[in-house]
Amino acid sequence: MRPMKKLSLVACIVGLAGAFGLAQSRGPSGAVVFEGARLVIGNASAPIEYGALVVENGRITAVGRKGAVRAPAGAAHVDLDGKTVMPAMINVHVHIGYEGYTSWGAANHTPQNVLDHLQREAFYGVGATQSVGSSPTEPSLQFQKDQQAGKFPPASRFFFMPGMAPPGGGPDAVLREATTPLHVINEVSTAQEARAAVQAMAAKRIPQVKIWVDDRRGTYPKMTPEVYNAVIDEAHKHRMLVNAHATTLPDQKAVVRAGADVIVHVVQGENVDDELLALVRAKKPYWATVIGLGDRTEVCEKDPFFEEALPASIVASIRATTTPRPLAPSCGPPNPNAARREEILSNNLQKMIAAGARLVLGTDTGIHAGHTFGTGDHHELARWVQLGLTPADAIVAATSRPAELLGIADMGTLAAGKSADFIVLNANPLDDIRNTRTIASVYLGGRKLDRDALRAGWHTAGSSQ
Ligand SMILES: [Zn+2]
């Protein structure tokens, strides 16, 4: 057990709160003008070169070209010449709480560990993070309430949704084992049970639900059309959105046809066909591709960006693992089917997007031990671009579009009225999407995140194990 876990949550928060100060001294008006950076807005509009961003009381109050934006009298100035600013990212698909970096499972699922994972996301520039289907409802609602009340130090904003599956179905074996003691998965066999479960969620004002429609190559019970049609129908009656885990061509067709709002995963091992594309064209679902989960981890490439939030022991163990493990990071030789997989991914990504699938950032981080919260986000963006997307479109799929999906009105773009949640980069991601990794600083609610303190805390925790 790492030392932090021995502290009470309150002690932990008090200790960490000292690590976060004001970004810089502010002028009498409390306003700060960030000047000189290229501003990547986060929607389809062109970037603003030599921009100015005015922040007051945690909100953006003006955005424009330097010189064209009037700063309030007495505003402090921050010179960002040569930098690029983009909105904080939003990850719509992770599994928070079970990773402990030296242990894994339900015992780790405490508010302080959820907070730790959200701080890791924030460290990497992710301002909102949604845990999908694997978070216990009551503690998660409480965590959200506490976070909104300002009880925690700065971290990625927490979102979650409950999950539904047939008895014995749902997530893969490792995540099932973690979630079972907490009774997280709503197990339903009939349309009536499905509707009742959705109604209970709606009564708690939970805006989304996840369903698993996957028999894991015949090893799991499969959710029947009767059940998922009932879930979707009932959810829509309550204005809730349904996220559907579906990994085969027939399953993706079935859930899109049934009206699922978000498809999770890509069709695996085969090209999409005209029938699926016609359904996508008609329904325009959101789509969390979660491609990175099937990739060799970048920890193998000895890139410090992927190591800095991981204990050295975990990095060493991933590098020493040379036999591929499903869903877990390893550093074996490249998959012999890699070239074929790339061809299918590239074909499917481009055709699905051309048909109108609304791409959103999701990573499945935390589904299995050994992933780092936050790095997968940058990996996923780079993969999209490698597979044919433009960097500008990749940034939209990581900022304004997930904000729209989650209904986060004050995030997703650099615009007046939004929360001042943004990333300052040393290089331009529109030139090379891998430049999202050149993070100089992260601001949440107008305050600079103390990334050095966070990094130091993780290293102390890691080295004492
Ligand atoms: Zn997942």
Side-chain angles (χ1 to χ4, degrees):
M1 182 178 273
R2 62 181 201 207
M4 262 182 64
K5 295 227 176 97
K6 291 176 190 151
L7 302 173
S8 73
L9 181 57
V10 172
C12 160
I13 290 163
V14 170
L16 281 172
F20 297 88
L22 286 177
Q24 56 282 303
S25 59
R26 295 178 188 216
S29 71
V32 183
V33 188
F34 297 85
E35 295 181 306
R38 171 182 304 102
L39 304 178
V40 176
I41 306 302
N43 54 21
S45 64
I48 299 171
E49 303 291 335
Y50 306 105
L53 193 68
V54 181
V55 174
E56 291 178 74
N57 301 317
R59 302 235 157 226
I60 299 171
T61 53
V63 180
R65 276 184 77 92
K66 186 178 169 179
V69 169
R70 188 185 301 199
H77 288 251
V78 176
D79 177 15
L80 295 180
D81 259 2
K83 310 278 191 204
T84 297
V85 172
M86 65 175 274
M89 298 193 285
I90 297 170
N91 185 331
V92 307
H93 196 113
V94 301
H95 299 284
I96 254 172
Y98 300 102
E99 173 65 89
Y101 293 100
T102 53
S103 60
W104 162 269
N108 290 335
H109 205 294
T110 60
Q112 71 219 49
N113 202 39
V114 169
L115 178 63
D116 176 80
H117 294 171
L118 295 170
Q119 287 179 317
R120 289 168 192 270
E121 290 283 352
F123 176 85
Y124 284 106
V126 183
T129 304
Q130 179 170 249
S131 189
V132 178
S134 56
S135 286
T137 295
E138 293 307 328
S140 299
L141 287 170
Q142 187 61 45
F143 187 97
Q144 272 187 321
K145 230 182 261 173
D146 289 343
Q147 190 181 41
Q148 282 160 13
K151 292 188 182 170
F152 300 138
S156 200
R157 290 189 214 175
F158 178 61
F159 291 79
F160 83 101
M161 73 183 76
M164 295 172 74
D172 82 288
V174 173
L175 190 58
R176 263 199 75 83
E177 200 185 309
T179 54
T180 299
L182 302 178
H183 308 289
V184 170
I185 312 297
N186 292 269
E187 298 193 328
V188 290
S189 307
T190 65
Q192 202 183 359
E193 288 170 3
R195 287 184 188 276
V198 173
Q199 286 160 7
M201 295 169 203
K204 292 175 180 158
R205 299 181 182 279
I206 290 171
Q208 298 199 38
V209 60
K210 169 168 183 175
I211 53 174
W212 279 271
V213 180
D214 185 4
D215 66 358
R216 313 249 172 204
R217 296 172 200 269
T219 63
Y220 268 38
K222 193 175 175 95
M223 184 176 275
T224 62
E226 183 210 354
V227 169
Y228 60 71
N229 280 313
V231 171
I232 293 169
D233 181 60
E234 194 66 33
H236 288 175
K237 275 187 197 160
H238 295 278
R239 299 176 185 276
M240 291 169 65
L241 301 182
V242 179
N243 291 240
H245 163 114
T247 60
T248 67
L249 188 54
D251 282 353
Q252 286 213 348
K253 286 179 191 172
V255 299
V256 176
R257 188 180 285 117
D261 305 278
V262 185
I263 327 170
V264 184
H265 296 294
V266 291
V267 165
Q268 292 184 359
E270 66 181 310
N271 287 322
V272 293
D273 64 8
D274 291 342
E275 191 184 4
L276 176 59
L277 294 172
L279 287 163
V280 167
R281 213 167 282 125
K283 305 271 194 176
K284 307 270 187 294
Y286 289 93
W287 185 32
T289 49
V290 195
I291 289 166
L293 196 61
D295 291 343
R296 191 174 194 263
T297 169
E298 291 192 54
V299 169
C300 308
E301 317 309 324
K302 307 202 169 158
D303 180 344
F305 183 78
F306 285 82
E307 294 173 30
E308 60 185 341
L310 276 174
S313 58
I314 302 295
V315 173
S317 107
I318 292 171
R319 293 219 182 108
T321 305
T322 53
T323 33
R325 304 177 291 190
L327 309 183
S330 65
C331 291
N335 185 326
N337 299 322
R340 173 83 182 125
R341 178 172 179 259
E342 290 304 293
E343 230 173 77
I344 293 171
L345 282 173
S346 172
N347 173 73
N348 290 355
L349 184 75
Q350 294 184 39
K351 285 191 176 157
M352 288 283 281
I353 289 171
R358 292 186 274 176
L359 190 65
V360 284
L361 175 64
T363 56
D364 248 342
T365 308
I367 198 170
H368 196 293
H371 296 283
T372 320
F373 289 89
T375 53
D377 306 66
H378 296 266
H379 177 86
E380 193 77 7
L381 261 68
R383 291 292 273 129
W384 288 337
V385 173
Q386 210 175 12
L387 295 166
L389 215 64
T390 66
D393 285 343
I395 290 171
V396 169
T399 56
S400 57
R401 195 174 298 116
E404 168 195 297
L405 168 59
L406 268 54
I408 313 178
D410 68 344
M411 283 188 75
T413 57
L414 302 179
K418 302 281 180 185
S419 178
D421 301 344
F422 56 85
I423 316 172
V424 180
L425 301 169
N426 290 322
N428 183 1
L430 299 173
D431 289 344
D432 178 351
I433 194 66
R434 292 172 67 93
N435 288 337
T436 61
R437 303 165 188 205
T438 63
I439 299 173
S441 49
V442 173
Y443 286 79
L444 296 178
R447 292 181 182 220
K448 188 176 182 177
L449 191 65
D450 192 339
R451 298 178 77 240
D452 292 336
L454 288 171
R455 193 191 286 110
W458 294 323
H459 284 177
T460 309
S463 61
S464 63
Q465 283 151 6

